[in-house]
Amino acid sequence: VLLAEVYWGREWELLQEGFDFATDKSLYDRLADVDAEGLKAHLAADQGFQERCARYIEGHDLPRAAEAFVTAEQHCAAALLAYTSAGMKIFHDGQMTGRRAAVPLHTWTRFCNETRDPHTIHQYARLLEVINRPEVKDGECRACSTTASMDGDPSFANIMSQVCWDSEGHATLVIVNYSPEKATGHVVIPKETLVSDAVHPIPGTHSYDGRPNPGVLSDAEGVQNVLLRDMLSNEWHERDAAVLVGHHGGAWFSLEPWQAIAYELSLLPLPQAPPLREPTPTPLA
């Protein structure tokens, strides 16, 4: 595997020269500069290009991620966006333990007295559970469109969203408010997203009978419900499948500053109508 270290937006140029992958410095710059518009455009680029990018948020000649991304929430949001995108994932030594001291390139010495940050370690443990899912590692990944709420709030422009799925129906929906302000807006996922039945029951509310053949979401209202389980907070929500694929403008979300969500998508069984009672025969006189 040939990996090119690239600067100045020349990733595609190096890929055309025969490299298998190119480090995605353009994505890093947009994350570091909090360039929401540039992020959306970059993550919506051609899929063939996306799959040959090497994503990272820390490197040997860059500030530590714990320093570059000022708050723990921004750090988590940047990591989730970078590492759930298609392509190679690169992690730097000390990144997942919250190290802040840079290691000089001309020495192998590390600052041994630097403490490990428990919050960062816990944060990456949850992120790795998402990143290691089969659909995120090897499945399809597409950017989701975002639009304004009914009140026209322009903050939707700061909402980034992408969905990953595989042929088995495993599906992950990522939604991030990449800004220091609250954001609201609608998210619409591609209609070709494959989703199968839920395998994580909510006690007392639903029951499941395994994972059937996956299928695309229905665009008819009231036909399918989708369970959204946030793998970072373990919160649960339900949405009509038709709304997720665009009815009524899409699914509406209200996000706190830097809020990052990674939903596992799965279908819920709809309540079954009770069988019709056969009419009682009228007794003969």
Side-chain angles (χ1 to χ4, degrees), residues 43-63:
L43 293 175
D46 177 77
Q47 187 68 10
F49 169 74
Q50 299 276 359
E51 292 173 352
R52 298 174 66 188
C53 286
R55 320 290 190 171
Y56 63 94
I57 61 170
E58 182 175 304
H60 63 87
D61 58 349
L62 296 169

Side-chain angles (χ1 to χ4, degrees), residues 43-119:
L43 293 175
D46 177 77
Q47 187 68 10
F49 169 74
Q50 299 276 359
E51 292 173 352
R52 298 174 66 188
C53 286
R55 320 290 190 171
Y56 63 94
I57 61 170
E58 182 175 304
H60 63 87
D61 58 349
L62 296 169
R64 288 286 198 178
E67 292 286 342
F69 304 101
V70 181
T71 65
E73 292 76 16
Q74 184 186 3
H75 186 170
C76 179
L80 185 64
L81 279 176
Y83 296 130
T84 56
S85 299
M88 180 186 290
K89 283 73 172 173
I90 298 177
F91 296 88
H92 192 240
D93 180 49
Q95 175 183 334
M96 290 189 284
T97 57
R99 292 190 179 274
R100 294 177 175 272
V103 179
L105 290 177
H106 59 275
T107 179
W108 294 96
T109 303
R110 177 188 286 145
F111 296 95
C112 297
N113 60 343
E114 188 177 10
T115 58
R116 295 154 60 94
D117 180 45
H119 179 76

Side-chain angles (χ1 to χ4, degrees), residues 62-285:
L62 296 169
R64 288 286 198 178
E67 292 286 342
F69 304 101
V70 181
T71 65
E73 292 76 16
Q74 184 186 3
H75 186 170
C76 179
L80 185 64
L81 279 176
Y83 296 130
T84 56
S85 299
M88 180 186 290
K89 283 73 172 173
I90 298 177
F91 296 88
H92 192 240
D93 180 49
Q95 175 183 334
M96 290 189 284
T97 57
R99 292 190 179 274
R100 294 177 175 272
V103 179
L105 290 177
H106 59 275
T107 179
W108 294 96
T109 303
R110 177 188 286 145
F111 296 95
C112 297
N113 60 343
E114 188 177 10
T115 58
R116 295 154 60 94
D117 180 45
H119 179 76
T120 302
I121 294 172
H122 175 68
Q123 182 171 270
Y124 271 100
R126 293 185 303 166
L127 284 170
L128 287 173
E129 291 180 6
V130 177
I131 297 165
N132 284 323
R133 289 176 60 88
E135 69 273 27
V136 178
K137 292 176 65 176
D138 302 311
E140 298 288 330
C141 185
R142 295 287 187 276
C144 301
S145 62
T146 58
T147 58
S149 302
M150 294 182 65
D151 60 4
D153 185 350
S155 64
F156 80 93
N158 296 320
I159 298 178
M160 313 290 141
S161 183
Q162 51 198 21
V163 63
C164 305
W165 73 93
D166 65 12
S167 60
E168 299 297 319
H170 304 100
T172 295
L173 173 63
V174 170
I175 304 174
V176 172
N177 172 17
Y178 203 69
S179 78
E181 307 292 337
K182 189 172 181 177
T184 62
H186 292 100
V187 173
V188 178
I189 71 173
K191 291 184 178 180
E192 62 266 27
T193 304
L194 294 179
V195 181
S196 64
D197 271 12
V199 293
H200 297 286
I202 306 175
T205 60
H206 298 285
S207 61
Y208 308 100
D209 298 315
R211 199 176 194 98
N213 293 327
V216 296
L217 297 178
S218 172
D219 59 1
E221 290 189 76
V223 172
Q224 285 180 337
N225 285 334
V226 179
L227 175 68
L228 290 75
R229 180 179 71 92
D230 184 4
M231 293 175 279
L232 301 182
S233 68
N234 208 35
E235 294 183 355
W236 308 73
H237 306 280
E238 290 185 32
R239 292 289 190 276
D240 190 311
V243 174
L244 281 172
V245 297
H247 277 234
H248 305 296
W252 182 82
F253 293 93
S254 177
L255 305 172
E256 297 299 319
W258 306 118
Q259 186 174 354
I261 300 171
Y263 284 126
E264 176 191 56
L265 301 183
S266 46
L267 299 180
L268 289 173
L270 290 175
Q272 297 295 317
L276 295 175
R277 295 180 59 185
E278 294 184 4
T280 303
T282 303
L284 297 175

